Amino acid sequence: MYKPLALFIGLRYTQAKRRNQFISFVSLISLLGMVLGVLALIVVLSVMNGFESELRGRILSVLPHGHITAEPALHNWPQWQQKLSQHPEVKAAAPYVAGNVMLSRYGVLRNARLNAIDPTLEQGVSTMAEHIIAGDMAQLQQGRYGIVLGDILARYMGVRPGDEVTVMLPKVTITPVGVYPRVKRFTVVAIFSVGAQLDSDTAFIHLADGQKLFQLGEDVTGLRVELQDIFAAPILLPQLAQQLFPGAKASSWQQSQGSLFQAMKMEKTMITLLLLVIVTIAAFNIISILTMMVADKRSDIAVLRTMGMSPKAIRNIFMIQGMAVGSGGILLGIVLGLPLAFYVGEVVATLESWLGLTVFNPNVYFISKIPSVVQWQDIAIIAGAGFLLSALATIYPAMRAANIHPAEALRYE
């Protein structure tokens, strides 16, 4: 005798040739639906992870992992910068001065976030120099009043390296002849592009020029910090601020760009729920399969009951059969979905070359191919949700099978 008997019979029912061809057809549809749902979830979530990773990498190539600031300014910053850089969890720290300004050229006005940095120390906290597409970052020197603009911002202002723009601060200077806004003319020395929102509203100048412009003397707004672990920033930075800088405040990249990444997370959640509908439909098909199987196997169930099989064992037979169909679809979906998720960029590029189409225009979306990042926790969630839905779908038909009375089932046999 095969043991456990319920497992043996349940698996046998999934392989046996059925007299009713309609049941076999519905079983195939259910299996394909589960495969399609799992495959779509894996590929779509991997692509969304890829876009999030790509965007985060682009933004953090210019912005650091976090900032530590003091009000109204950070005094004696070289001492604090050296002390912070010696912390084992910190890769580098660099001073900065920042503020909102208005850029002007020939009547064209544009608001921007102006960051004054030390080009030498900045290399430890960002890779902005690698994203220069015009001009030379080396021209950003003290006293030269040079400025580096984002690509979109430069195009909006209509400037190229060598052109001049006027920087206006939201502060005024009182003179004997009246009140005037504080302005300074800067020469564009370089243009950067990271393929993100920063290209349209960010500008950089030399730290010393920024200290003069914002009238901070030798002080700075704060320190830009690069950590060993990017995801430790929300917890580690406030701790460092309290330990090293009494009264200082800390903000991480998740706070400065929080709305953007929160929106992407919400979008990922909603798309996951929508695609789970496909898996749910496949699970409903499992209910149909088992309900028809129970009706088809009433006499077999009655014989098994008369031979001493308990209602619980009968219930387990059909639950095992339904779970076998669902598990087969889930596993096949994972097997087919993982290679497609890993190479979706190459697959789409091949289709583009064959069909002569462009899915993502690099001039619009800042990317040349679809990025993809497979996260194993997503695979586990998808598989777990599929197994759970499959298990729930088997409960009602299995309970009906367990409640069949042998005498009633065999009355007309």
Side-chain angles (χ1 to χ4, degrees):
M1 181 66 67
Y2 294 96
K3 293 184 179 180
L5 185 59
L7 176 63
F8 170 74
I9 298 176
L11 295 178
R12 185 180 178 85
Y13 276 175
T14 63
Q15 302 172 3
K17 294 182 179 180
R18 302 183 180 91
R19 297 185 298 271
N20 192 337
Q21 296 298 320
F22 183 71
I23 299 178
S24 300
F25 176 75
V26 175
S27 299
L28 179 61
I29 293 298
S30 177
L31 181 68
L32 293 178
M34 192 68 72
V35 171
L36 180 61
V38 171
L39 186 149
L41 276 168
I42 291 174
V43 174
V44 171
L45 292 185
S46 297
V47 170
M48 294 193 71
N49 292 335
F51 274 110
E52 182 179 357
S53 177
E54 183 79 11
L55 185 60
R56 183 171 59 241
R58 290 172 182 265
I59 291 176
L60 295 181
S61 65
V62 174
L63 296 180
H65 293 170
H67 302 81
I68 293 180
T69 60
E71 294 292 343
L74 184 63
H75 307 292
N76 194 18
W77 65 264
Q79 172 188 349
W80 301 115
Q81 185 262 342
Q82 182 179 7
K83 190 175 182 180
L84 186 62
S85 300
Q86 293 174 350
H87 194 278
E89 298 294 332
V90 177
K91 291 177 65 176
Y96 79 101
V97 174
N100 296 318
V101 300
M102 186 72 71
L103 302 182
S104 172
R105 175 179 166 82
Y106 296 149
V108 179
L109 298 175
R110 187 75 172 182
N111 65 300
R113 180 68 174 175
L114 186 64
N115 298 274
I117 59 173
D118 185 320
T120 302
L121 296 175
E122 187 69 15
Q123 295 177 7
V125 298
S126 75
T127 58
M128 188 183 66
E130 300 176 5
H131 297 277
I132 299 298
I133 60 174
D136 187 1
M137 187 73 177
Q139 297 298 319
L140 194 65
Q141 300 175 2
Q142 179 179 353
R144 299 280 297 270
Y145 290 99
I147 189 170
V148 180
L149 300 178
D151 177 36
I152 299 176
L153 180 59
R155 280 189 280 137
Y156 185 88
M157 301 294 299
V159 296
R160 296 178 297 177
D163 296 336
E164 292 185 338
V165 295
T166 301
V167 176
M168 296 184 294
L169 273 66
K171 297 181 180 180
V172 296
T173 300
I174 301 177
T175 67
V177 295
V179 177
Y180 294 94
R182 190 179 304 166
V183 299
K184 181 63 181 178
R185 185 166 295 178
F186 284 78
T187 301
V188 178
V189 298
I191 296 174
F192 71 89
S193 176
V194 295
Q197 182 65 27
L198 298 175
D199 294 344
S200 64
D201 59 8
T202 306
F204 293 89
I205 61 176
H206 195 278
L207 180 65
D209 298 338
Q211 289 172 325
K212 293 179 181 179
L213 185 66
F214 289 94
Q215 297 180 332
L216 292 178
E218 296 297 324
D219 298 336
V220 296
T221 302
L223 296 174
R224 295 156 67 92
V225 185
E226 186 83 358
L227 301 176
Q228 301 288 352
D229 181 8
I230 178 176
F231 297 104
I235 299 176
L236 182 59
L237 284 173
Q239 296 176 354
L240 292 175
Q242 293 300 319
Q243 294 174 5
L244 304 179
F245 310 94
K249 297 180 179 180
S251 62
S252 68
W253 62 275
Q254 290 187 342
Q255 292 171 301
S256 61
Q257 304 293 324
S259 58
L260 174 62
F261 290 103
Q262 189 65 30
M264 295 187 68
K265 183 178 180 180
M266 179 63 68
E267 183 179 6
K268 178 181 176 181
T269 301
M270 294 307 299
I271 289 179
T272 302
L273 293 176
L274 290 175
L275 291 177
L276 274 175
V277 172
I278 301 176
V279 180
T280 305
I281 293 174
F284 275 114
N285 285 335
I286 293 177
I287 298 177
S288 302
I289 297 167
L290 294 182
T291 301
M292 289 185 289
M293 281 293 296
V294 169
D296 189 55
K297 301 293 184 181
R298 286 177 63 88
S299 59
D300 294 357
I301 295 171
V303 170
L304 291 172
R305 288 293 309 277
T306 56
M307 294 177 64
M309 181 171 282
S310 66
K312 180 179 179 182
I314 297 294
R315 183 190 64 205
N316 290 341
I317 288 174
F318 291 94
M319 291 188 70
I320 290 170
Q321 181 186 358
M323 286 297 298
V325 174
S327 301
I330 293 169
L331 294 177
L332 187 57
I334 293 175
V335 170
L336 296 177
L338 283 178
L340 184 58
F342 279 115
Y343 299 103
V344 64
E346 289 76 4
V347 171
V348 172
T350 302
L351 293 176
E352 287 179 340
S353 63
W354 286 354
L355 302 177
L357 301 176
T358 301
V359 177
F360 289 99
N361 188 339
N363 296 325
V364 177
Y365 296 100
F366 305 106
I367 58 174
S368 58
K369 76 172 189 176
I370 297 179
S372 177
V373 175
V374 176
Q375 294 184 355
W376 296 108
Q377 59 266 34
D378 289 341
I379 308 299
I381 291 173
I382 293 170
F387 284 125
L388 178 62
L389 290 172
S390 298
L392 292 176
T394 64
I395 294 177
Y396 172 72
M399 292 297 295
R400 286 195 59 181
N403 292 330
I404 291 177
H405 297 287
E408 184 71 22
L410 294 174
R411 176 178 299 177
Y412 301 105
E413 291 294 331

